[in-house]
Amino acid sequence: MKHEAEQELLKTLNGQLSELPAVAKTMVQQYQMSAIALSILCSVILIAVLIGTIWLSRYFFKKGEKQSFEDKMEGTDYIEYCEATVIAGGSLSIFTFFGLIVNIIHACAPIVSIIKGLLN
């Protein structure tokens, strides 16, 4: 039932964006611009997280290579820090990548996103 209502609403709006009032056009454009701005923000955060992850993992890896056996026996193992950095940075990168994809989808199909938001 819900899917049928979405399809009917899409059929009504499909190709008729030029007949919409100026307020509705402005609303759709603002929604699209906000999605574009959020996708840019997500891509900047994604790049920063990837650079930070790579830098920290290289830092801990180099520090672990220079570490003596006595330091490892004391419990400070920098290779484990490197692994934890890769796991945390990788999971954060995945979340920001999914946020980027969702915002790009909202920017490319603003009317469908608005309709789904209204029906949910």
Side-chain angles (χ1 to χ4, degrees), residues 38-74:
L38 284 174
S39 65
I40 291 171
L41 181 66
C42 281
S43 63
V44 167
I45 291 172
L46 176 65
I47 291 170
V49 165
L50 287 174
I51 289 172
T53 301
I54 291 169
W55 184 81
L56 274 175
S57 61
R58 286 188 66 206
Y59 172 77
F60 286 134
F61 186 76
K62 286 182 180 180
K63 205 162 191 170
E65 285 181 339
K66 295 177 186 176
Q67 192 176 20
S68 67
F69 182 72
E70 290 81 23
D71 291 337
K72 288 181 183 178
M73 293 307 291
E74 289 177 6

Side-chain angles (χ1 to χ4, degrees), residues 45-46 49 53 86-98:
I45 291 172
L46 176 65
V49 165
T53 301
V86 169
I87 291 170
S91 60
L92 192 57
S93 296
I94 289 171
F95 287 127
T96 55
F97 181 71
F98 281 133

